[in-house]
Amino acid sequence: DVKVTQSSRYLVKRTGEKVFLECVQDMDHENMFWYRQDPGLGLRLIYFSYDVKMKEKGDIPEGYSVSREKKERFSLILESASTNQTSMYLCASSQDRGLGGYTFGSGTRLTVV
Amino acid sequence: GQQLNQSPQSMFIQEGEDVSMNCTSSSIFNTWLWYKQDPGEGPVLLIALYKAGELTSNGRLTAQFGITRKDSFLNISASIPSDVGIYFCAGRRDGNKLVFGAGTILRVKS
C-alpha cells in the first residue's frame, strides 16, 4: 500500500526550539508539499519541492525552511518555534505533471508551549 | 494566495439526508478535486474532475465540474454516520500546485 509517512503524530515543543518535521513517500513521486491546517483557514501551502535539492516558497513560508536531499524525503524545519506555529502539519506528494491529486500523510499535530 | 470559496462552512444533518456543498472561484481551473479528511487523518481523494461540465459519481458521492470552470459541487446521497469529517475542494489551474478551499465540516445526527 503506497503511502506518505510523517514521522510523528503529536509533538510538543518549547518556544525557541528548532523543530524538524519529517515526511517520507514510497511512490517515487517528484513533487512534495508541506501544508498547515488551522480551523476555518483550510490548508495553507508553506513550501513545496518539484525535485531533489529544489524548493519553492508557498503562501506562508515565514518562519519555516525545508530540505530535500533525497527524492523520497522532504523535511520541514521551524528555525525557532513560536506559539503561533501550533498547528496541524500535513505533508503531501504527487507525480510530476500528473492529473491526479495529492497523497497526504496522516499529519503531525504540533503544539508549541 | 489564491483562494477557493467553499460553502457551507459546516453542516449538521440527519442520517439519511442528502448533502450538497460547493466551491467557487473568480479564476478558471482546469481540474477540480474533492477530498475527505477523517478525524485525526490526512485528506483522502474522493473524486477528480477534468472537463467542464463533467459529472462523476463514486458510490453515494456525485461531483460536477462547473461549465464556467469556476465552480464545482459535491453531493452525498443518503448520509450515514461514517460520512462525518471535513470535505475539501481543490482546484488546479496549471502545473502541479493545488489550491484548497477552507473545508466543509460535516456532522451527522444518528
Side-chain angles (χ1 to χ4, degrees):
Chain A
D1 192 21
V2 294
K3 58 173 59 175
V4 176
T5 302
Q6 294 184 230
S7 54
S8 303
R9 294 297 295 267
Y10 300 94
L11 275 179
V12 180
K13 297 291 182 180
R14 294 191 182 280
T15 301
E17 274 193 77
K18 190 169 186 176
V19 181
F20 293 86
L21 302 184
E22 305 289 347
C23 175
V24 177
Q25 50 95 3
D26 64 2
M27 295 167 282
D28 202 35
H29 283 171
E30 289 80 9
N31 310 318
M32 296 188 76
F33 307 85
W34 274 106
Y35 286 86
R36 64 176 284 176
Q37 180 180 10
D38 301 288
L41 298 178
L43 304 178
R44 293 183 291 167
L45 182 62
I46 305 171
Y47 267 96
F48 59 101
S49 169
Y50 291 159
D51 201 352
V52 176
K53 296 193 185 294
M54 175 272 178
K55 60 185 178 184
E56 285 197 36
K57 293 179 180 180
D59 299 319
I60 52 164
E62 295 78 21
Y64 303 95
S65 63
V66 290
S67 171
R68 192 162 182 205
E69 296 296 318
K70 294 184 178 181
K71 188 176 185 180
E72 67 270 19
R73 185 180 296 269
F74 192 36
S75 303
L76 179 69
I77 304 156
L78 286 66
E79 297 290 342
S80 177
S82 63
T83 54
N84 63 13
Q85 291 178 310
T86 292
S87 186
M88 167 71 92
Y89 289 87
L90 290 165
C91 175
S93 72
S94 72
Q95 278 186 312
D96 191 33
R97 307 185 195 290
L99 294 179
Y102 300 169
T103 300
F104 282 90
S106 296
T108 296
R109 183 163 294 282
L110 173 67
T111 302
V112 182
V113 298
Chain B
Q2 198 172 26
Q3 291 295 321
L4 297 178
N5 300 309
Q6 186 172 350
S7 65
Q9 198 169 28
S10 66
M11 305 182 73
F12 217 135
I13 62 168
Q14 286 283 356
E15 184 176 352
E17 283 184 354
D18 296 344
V19 172
S20 184
M21 60 191 80
N22 68 81
C23 260
T24 61
S25 173
S26 57
S27 303
I28 288 173
F29 286 92
N30 295 320
T31 303
W32 284 94
L33 303 156
W34 285 92
Y35 284 82
K36 183 195 176 194
Q37 183 180 29
D38 289 323
E41 298 296 330
V44 173
L45 182 65
L46 296 174
I47 292 179
L49 302 156
Y50 301 111
K51 287 173 55 177
E54 180 181 355
L55 186 71
T56 297
S57 293
N58 178 6
R60 292 179 296 106
L61 278 59
T62 302
Q64 184 159 29
F65 191 141
I67 198 71
T68 65
R69 295 167 64 194
K70 294 182 179 181
D71 61 346
S72 177
F73 72 75
L74 175 71
N75 286 342
I76 305 172
S77 62
S79 57
I80 58 178
S82 62
D83 289 334
V84 161
I86 305 176
Y87 291 79
F88 290 101
C89 63
R92 177 189 288 121
R93 294 184 66 189
D94 49 32
N96 293 304
K97 276 173 59 180
L98 295 179
V99 177
F100 285 87
T104 295
I105 302 171
L106 187 62
R107 300 181 178 93
V108 178
K109 298 180 198 175
S110 57

